Amino acid sequence: MPPLPIPNAASPQVRRTPEGPQGRLQYDLYIGGEFVAPAGGRYFETTDPVTGEVWADVARGSEADVDAACRAAQAAFEDPAWRGLSASARGALMRRLGDLITENADWLAAVEMKDNGKLIAELDNQMRYMANYYYYYGGLADKIEGSTIPTDKPGVFNFTRYEPIGVVACIMPWNSPLPLTSLKLAPALAAGNTVVLKPSEFTYASLLEFVKLIELAGFPKGVVNVVTGLGHEMGNSLVSHPLVERIAFTGGPEAGRIINEQAARSMKRVTMELGGKSPNIVFEDADLEQAVKGAVTGIFAASGQTCVAGSRLLLQRSIHDDFIGRLVDFLEDIRFGHPSDPQTQIAPISTAPQLAKIEDYVRIAQEEGATLVRGGKRASVEGYPNGLFYEPTIFSDVTNDMRIAQEEVFGPVLSVIPFDDEDDAVRIANDVKFGLAAGIWTENLARGIRMTEKVRAGTIWVNNYRSTSTTSPFGGFKMSGIGREGGIAGIMEYLELKSVWISTNVEIPNPFIRR
């Protein structure tokens, strides 16, 4: 099947992305409601992970561009065109944006596929579902209520109110740019904040196309801004900028630690999702046919490039060998191909550096004594000799102290670890620095409930894996992050709580005594 063409615009209403001097699409920064060239005039190339070909140039922003974006966001925050809107009016704008996403889902999916090589079958679902973030938080915007507090102090009336924080900086990864942006952007806007978005230097196109829909929805200029460029050239200036009040980051733990330390210097609040090393635990009484599918979903869907990847498969010893055999059989006829083909099951790794990292971890696993059961090499896909494809890889004889079991690979690499009983499974599951997600497979309801109480993870699935909803909170324990995204908890991260005291006394009591 030939690759899907990448539309330059969804409809005549959407402004077209221009071509640069090389005849490729050229993406500029989006600041104050306008697409503008970077202050330094520099651009860098981006490649298609399927073909390895350069297809666009992106603005290489600098500290000056970050400053301009933050100032535009602050000006918009103070402007009555945004600050003066009622919460209901903000909600109406967001629902309009949700409608535009639904109308243009095919276009957004095609651009994101070109950007990071994800399966079009999955992207179609993600783009259509993404509208729900804006519907949900748009509906929630005018339902955040303060409280009237019955205090023990006579002569004063006390109530609380929630207010927007101000300028929010959102920093996104490359694996799911638009959905992960929406997890941050939708609640931030619903709360009344303004935003500066910084996508990964590997995946930026879909976000710069998406902001055109924000324009069409009628958001005032400067409410949403996008700066692109290399992390080491822009990250510090964005995180430390004096106008930024909150940082929302999704990415690796090392980058998260650095950002958190920088933010702490000016007491900025942070929300962070930092990945995981999630256990997918299968007991001997599980429905093994469904559990095999759950194991595949957990680690090989999206080529393992997902923060909740069930990269540690914990198998009760009595089913260990049989389950591995079933898993290998299930993967025998796996289909590689172009992500635009609905029949493709395994798409390429999104970036060349990530592919190199996966290869390093496979080598390390073998050096540490793990047994390679299948995969462990690049996949050769007909028609795409330069594609970044990698075989689904399974290691057995893994012990939980190996690096392959402790560190996030972020690729289609599965570590199989045996366990004896519930206590042993819990010990192994919790013996990592992460705590983002976990899967439990058992037909014993009481066991399932016990395990959800004992396993330390922010999301736990029982007899399913990777189910998500905009209505449910998402986040991790330990090194997997700080705060929550999604659900009502998600919008609370972007609000300030204020306590107001109003005197009902005619005369002020003794001013030298605290009441």
Side-chain angles (χ1 to χ4, degrees):
M1 178 179 177
L4 281 177
I6 304 302
N8 199 345
S11 70
Q13 291 179 296
V14 179
R15 68 168 84 179
R16 294 182 62 83
T17 300
E19 291 186 353
Q22 302 297 324
R24 301 187 291 257
L25 293 182
Q26 179 172 296
Y27 287 96
D28 286 325
L29 309 166
Y30 185 73
I31 298 175
E34 303 293 338
F35 286 98
V36 296
R42 297 183 297 171
Y43 293 80
F44 60 89
E45 298 175 342
T46 188
T47 58
D48 184 334
V50 181
T51 64
E53 298 174 353
V54 176
W55 69 278
D57 298 291
V58 61
R60 185 170 172 175
S62 62
E63 184 175 351
D65 299 306
V66 168
D67 183 62
C70 291
R71 292 182 183 278
Q74 181 65 30
F77 182 70
E78 297 171 352
D79 192 332
W82 177 247
R83 191 67 180 268
L85 287 179
S86 68
S88 297
R90 288 200 306 272
L93 280 176
M94 295 185 66
R95 290 190 293 275
R96 173 58 180 150
L97 178 56
D99 290 341
L100 288 169
I101 292 170
T102 300
E103 294 167 12
N104 295 279
D106 290 342
W107 167 57
L108 294 174
V111 177
E112 187 130 310
M113 180 199 69
K114 186 77 170 178
D115 222 9
N116 75 348
K118 207 166 193 176
L119 293 178
I120 196 67
E122 180 168 1
L123 286 170
D124 281 341
N125 290 333
Q126 285 188 334
M127 295 304 111
R128 283 169 175 76
Y129 189 81
M130 192 172 73
N132 291 328
Y133 289 104
Y134 299 91
Y135 293 143
Y136 177 80
Y137 285 108
L140 194 58
D142 58 4
K143 298 172 183 65
I144 301 300
E145 301 176 347
S147 303
T148 300
I149 300 174
T151 73
D152 57 354
K153 300 295 189 293
V156 288
F157 170 57
N158 179 225
F159 68 92
T160 61
R161 58 181 291 161
Y162 287 96
E163 297 181 354
I165 294 173
V167 177
V168 176
C170 302
I171 304 172
M172 285 75 63
W174 46 260
N175 60 317
S176 292
L178 284 183
L180 292 178
T181 293
S182 297
L183 262 176
K184 299 166 176 56
L185 180 62
L189 294 178
N193 300 289
T194 56
V195 181
V196 177
L197 303 172
K198 166 61 177 73
S200 164
E201 58 262 39
F202 295 107
T203 53
Y204 60 88
S206 57
L207 182 55
L208 287 168
E209 299 289 0
F210 173 68
V211 293
K212 299 174 185 178
L213 301 185
I214 294 175
E215 285 185 354
L216 288 180
F219 283 82
K221 292 179 181 296
V223 170
V224 178
N225 306 270
V226 182
V227 291
T228 58
L230 304 181
H232 69 276
E233 293 180 346
M234 304 179 68
N236 182 65
S237 56
L238 180 59
V239 172
S240 61
H241 198 283
L243 295 178
V244 171
E245 298 287 350
R246 172 173 277 277
I247 310 293
F249 172 74
T250 298
E254 289 306 311
R257 179 184 57 78
I258 293 170
I259 289 172
N260 197 21
E261 290 174 353
Q262 292 175 335
R265 293 170 190 161
S266 52
M267 303 302 282
K268 290 178 170 60
R269 276 65 53 85
V270 298
T271 304
M272 294 191 169
E273 191 269 280
L274 304 177
K277 198 66 185 175
S278 300
N280 209 352
I281 307 168
V282 184
F283 287 94
E284 60 189 1
D285 65 349
D287 182 330
L288 296 189
E289 182 178 350
Q290 298 308 312
V292 166
K293 294 177 183 177
V296 171
T297 298
I299 186 59
F300 299 128
S303 298
Q305 299 170 114
T306 171
C307 53
V308 297
S311 53
R312 290 186 298 152
L313 179 61
L314 277 56
L315 298 176
Q316 199 156 19
R317 289 189 189 276
S318 59
I319 61 168
H320 179 274
D321 294 348
D322 176 47
F323 196 94
I324 291 177
R326 289 172 181 248
L327 191 56
V328 170
D329 290 343
F330 189 93
L331 296 171
E332 184 176 355
D333 297 321
I334 204 80
R335 289 188 293 272
F336 293 88
H338 198 281
S340 66
D341 186 343
Q343 300 303 312
T344 297
Q345 295 170 309
I346 299 290
I349 304 303
S350 293
T351 75
Q354 184 59 30
L355 178 59
K357 177 183 175 183
I358 293 167
E359 291 178 317
D360 281 345
Y361 270 108
V362 168
R363 174 185 54 78
I364 290 167
Q366 292 173 302
E367 290 175 352
E368 289 187 327
T371 299
L372 182 64
V373 175
R374 85 169 312 277
K377 63 182 186 302
R378 295 192 183 195
S380 177
V381 180
E382 185 178 357
Y384 304 103
N386 298 318
L388 306 179
F389 294 91
Y390 200 82
E391 290 273 0
T393 298
I394 301 173
F395 282 104
S396 66
D397 298 319
V398 176
T399 57
N400 205 50
D401 59 346
M402 292 181 178
R403 289 182 62 186
I404 198 74
Q406 289 289 319
E407 299 174 14
E408 188 176 42
V409 177
F410 219 71
V413 180
L414 180 64
S415 298
V416 181
I417 305 172
F419 69 88
D420 296 315
D421 53 23
E422 284 184 34
D423 289 342
D424 197 29
V426 170
R427 178 188 62 78
I428 296 170
N430 290 338
D431 185 23
V432 287
K433 63 183 179 181
F434 298 104
L436 187 59
I440 312 294
W441 299 85
T442 177
E443 294 295 287
N444 184 324
L445 179 60
R447 168 181 281 164
I449 293 174
R450 287 195 301 270
M451 292 295 292
T452 65
E453 294 171 348
K454 295 177 181 178
V455 174
R456 290 184 51 77
T459 297
I460 298 181
W461 295 287
V462 179
N463 295 331
N464 70 106
Y465 207 93
R466 287 185 78 205
S467 299
T468 60
S469 172
T470 185
T471 63
S472 181
F474 176 76
F477 291 11
K478 299 186 282 187
M479 283 292 291
S480 284
I482 301 170
R484 292 294 182 267
E485 295 181 312
I488 295 175
I491 197 171
M492 305 312 289
E493 300 280 357
Y494 297 96
L495 290 163
E496 293 276 27
L497 179 61
K498 179 182 287 183
S499 180
V500 181
W501 297 75
I502 300 176
S503 175
T504 59
N505 285 335
V506 175
E507 183 178 347
I508 300 294
N510 186 342
F512 294 98
I513 299 175
R514 178 179 177 183
R515 299 192 65 197

